[in-house]
Amino acid sequence: MPHCIIEYSAPLAHEIDIKQFVQLVHHGAINSGLFERSAIKTRAIRCGDYQVGDNHLGSFIHITIKIMPGRTDEQKQHLLSAVYDSVSPETTCVCSLTLEVIDINAAAYAKHLTCGH
């Protein structure tokens, strides 16, 4: 844990190196000091159909960080700050950058390892 999910407007792939951006989010989560490095999972989802306000050409990045419950609001804010600090230099071309931390419902979450990790 956590699951870092980056949703982004498709045209940003021409302005931002998405693989590098995934690494920046991942390193931000590592730099928070809240998780074991091996437990962090980061991925990006390209959104081809979207709208930002009234602007059909606006760009966005939304980063959702799903974590198991038990962290304090201060720890969650620290996590958001660590990720934001890591990615903000790369987002000057983005109209809307948003981040959120979501507690996973532990009773409705299952994890099965099949790769021997």
Side-chain angles (χ1 to χ4, degrees):
M1 206 49 64
H3 289 273
C4 304
I5 304 161
I6 305 159
E7 297 169 272
Y8 67 96
S9 51
L12 281 177
H14 301 292
E15 299 182 46
I16 294 176
D17 181 336
I18 300 301
K19 282 187 175 185
Q20 178 186 8
F21 196 83
V22 168
Q23 291 176 353
L24 291 172
V25 171
H26 198 83
H27 287 299
I30 291 168
N31 292 339
S32 74
L34 297 173
F35 311 100
E36 291 183 32
R37 179 183 297 255
S38 62
I40 301 168
K41 299 157 193 78
T42 307
R43 56 194 173 271
I45 301 169
R46 179 183 179 125
C47 300
D49 299 313
Y50 64 92
Q51 184 171 341
V52 177
D54 290 331
N55 187 349
H56 294 278
L57 301 176
S59 59
F60 76 90
I61 294 175
H62 179 73
I63 303 168
T64 303
I65 305 170
K66 296 183 178 185
I67 63 173
M68 294 304 283
R71 306 285 180 177
T72 66
D73 287 342
E74 292 78 17
Q75 289 172 312
K76 293 174 186 177
Q77 189 61 47
H78 174 70
L79 173 59
L80 288 173
S81 294
V83 172
Y84 177 79
D85 290 347
S86 183
V87 302
S88 64
E90 301 299 320
T91 59
T92 57
C93 63
V94 180
C95 295
S96 175
L97 171 64
T98 53
L99 300 91
E100 71 178 324
V101 174
I102 297 175
D103 285 333
I104 292 174
N105 177 353
Y109 178 80
K111 179 177 180 177
H112 303 280
L113 299 177
T114 59
C115 294
H117 299 302

